[in-house]
Amino acid sequence: MEEVKNRTSENTYRRRVDVIIPTYKPGKKFSRLLKMLERQTYPIGRIIVMNTEKAYWNDKGYEGIDNLQVHHLPKAEFDHGATRNRGARYSRADIMVFMTDDAVPADDRMIEHLVAAFDKRGPQGESVIMAYARQLPDKDCPLAERYTRSFNYPEESCIKTKDDLGRMGIKTFFASNVCCAYDREKFWFQGGFINKTIFNEDMIFAGKAVLQDDYAVAYVAEARVIHSHNYGCMTQFHRNFDLAVSQTDHPEVFQGIHSESEGIRLVKQTARYLVKQRRPWLVPGMIVKSGFKYMGYRLGRCYRLLPSGLAAKCSMNKEYWK
């Protein structure tokens, strides 16, 4: 293990790192996540877990992890932004890496690559406030979803700033707390995540940091996590409904920036990919699922016109509407 760690210069250890993970009914992937964090070349200070519902936590399953710090909260108190803020308040590290409990580092250098991104600058000297990892498909990931992963998380790293808005549109501040590192001082200077949000707390934060304060967002393709979902049509509907609600609630970030065109481009390119892979029979199912995504998104954009009970039924996050 010491030989592995020596690959990283001692000079790069000048930034202290904590990892913050919200959990809910953590399973085998979470166990693999913890094991891979132990193997990282870059030292991790504390792994701060914000666990929803103590009844679903197995203390004995995670014995021997000395830097594990667990805090429990009831499900009624969970919020995508507020819960992560609570976890961040336990950290005194220079860099905070937020992860989800189903994202597993693909190798032992993930933290190392994320930390290195904070030494980079945008074309106008913009400092990096956050750096997110590349997401790779898991073994059971369907073919169409595999392409979606490569579409959203390409092989090339980049630094994104306000100057990219005309070229990249909404992808300028695309980021994901599935695995994303933040400069803690800059994070709190920005006020942290919004305390009540149905979804999308990472992009809301990135949008404000880029548009209002001229920070840069780093996409680090070398930092890789294995993370994918096999969502059905209705789950995609609910997820995209919540996505649209979050965008509608934050016009200071998303007003005038539409994601429909990016979605259409993804559908077209995925269809071409499936045909190229000699799986044309998968195209109709992909189009149907994309239709559910679009319906959920469009309904979410006008959620204020819906009765609150109906909005809750359309949503993936039922607790948000209570």
Side-chain angles (χ1 to χ4, degrees):
M1 185 65 183
E2 287 300 319
E3 291 180 5
V4 174
K5 286 186 178 294
N6 286 338
R7 295 207 309 260
T8 305
S9 166
E10 288 295 327
N11 186 48
T12 64
Y13 294 159
R14 65 188 184 275
R15 295 188 179 98
R16 294 170 300 162
V17 174
D18 285 341
V19 178
I20 302 169
I21 312 172
T23 60
Y24 179 59
K25 298 182 179 180
K28 292 181 180 178
K29 286 185 179 180
F30 180 63
S31 296
R32 293 203 299 271
L33 161 58
L34 294 178
K35 289 178 182 177
M36 287 303 297
L37 289 180
E38 285 188 304
R39 292 179 53 189
Q40 293 298 298
T41 58
Y42 198 102
I44 295 169
R46 287 184 289 179
I47 301 172
I48 301 167
V49 172
M50 301 302 295
N51 179 65
T52 300
E53 296 297 344
K54 189 174 182 178
Y56 299 129
W57 180 263
N58 178 16
D59 280 315
K60 293 184 178 180
Y62 311 111
E63 290 177 346
I65 303 175
D66 296 332
N67 60 343
L68 188 65
Q69 184 182 108
V70 184
H71 304 272
H72 300 286
L73 64 148
K75 189 174 182 181
E77 291 183 12
F78 175 83
D79 181 271
H80 284 281
T83 300
R84 286 177 170 86
N85 283 340
R86 285 174 62 177
R89 290 189 184 97
Y90 292 112
S91 175
R92 294 296 180 268
D94 303 295
I95 302 294
M96 304 181 299
V97 179
F98 289 92
M99 297 186 71
T100 55
D101 62 9
D102 59 348
V104 180
D107 56 42
D108 57 9
R109 300 185 66 188
M110 182 196 76
I111 298 292
E112 177 187 337
H113 288 306
L114 288 174
V115 173
F118 291 92
D119 290 326
K120 299 178 181 179
R121 294 269 177 172
Q124 305 300 322
E126 300 94 339
S127 60
V128 171
I129 191 170
M130 58 195 293
Y132 68 102
R134 182 184 182 191
Q135 295 183 31
L136 302 177
D138 211 338
K139 295 177 181 178
D140 61 348
C141 185
L143 191 60
E145 180 62 21
R146 285 180 178 273
Y147 183 79
T148 298
R149 280 286 173 269
S150 66
F151 181 89
N152 289 326
Y153 302 95
E155 294 181 356
E156 302 81 20
S157 298
C158 65
I159 304 292
K160 301 181 289 187
T161 68
K162 187 162 58 178
D163 290 342
D164 295 308
L165 197 57
R167 177 176 62 90
M168 299 184 70
I170 197 168
K171 277 204 165 183
T172 305
F173 34 86
F174 174 78
S176 175
N177 274 344
V178 163
C179 184
C180 189
Y182 293 77
D183 182 305
R184 187 175 67 89
E185 184 176 329
K186 293 182 176 69
F187 174 84
W188 286 121
F189 184 79
Q190 291 294 110
F193 298 120
I194 187 161
N195 267 317
K196 183 171 175 60
T197 179
I198 191 169
F199 189 55
N200 219 24
E201 77 291 336
D202 35 28
M203 282 187 67
I204 294 168
F205 181 92
K208 290 181 178 179
V210 169
L211 296 175
Q212 298 174 11
D213 288 290
D214 293 329
Y215 282 115
V217 173
Y219 167 57
V220 189
E222 298 81 11
R224 304 176 304 152
V225 292
I226 299 170
H227 178 264
S228 57
H229 292 292
N230 301 332
Y231 288 147
C233 289
M234 285 308 301
T235 304
Q236 293 286 14
F237 174 91
H238 296 315
R239 183 178 176 85
N240 280 268
F241 179 87
D242 289 355
L243 173 66
V245 169
S246 72
Q247 292 184 6
T248 302
D249 283 346
H250 294 280
E252 74 279 8
V253 175
F254 299 103
Q255 190 170 35
I257 303 175
H258 301 289
S259 57
E260 290 97 326
S261 58
E262 192 70 7
I264 293 170
R265 189 166 76 91
L266 173 59
V267 171
K268 289 181 178 178
Q269 292 193 14
T270 304
R272 293 193 194 103
Y273 172 77
L274 293 175
V275 171
K276 188 176 180 180
Q277 296 297 312
R278 299 181 180 180
R279 299 291 192 277
W281 57 86
L282 297 177
V283 173
M286 182 273 296
I287 292 175
V288 169
K289 188 173 289 187
S290 299
F292 274 83
K293 290 181 182 179
Y294 183 72
M295 286 188 293
Y297 182 83
R298 291 307 304 169
L299 201 57
R301 292 291 290 185
C302 57
Y303 83 92
R304 292 191 178 100
L305 301 177
L306 304 177
S308 58
L310 179 57
K313 288 181 179 180
C314 292
S315 174
M316 180 180 277
N317 187 355
K318 310 298 183 186
E319 299 293 327
Y320 179 82
W321 304 93
K322 293 181 180 179

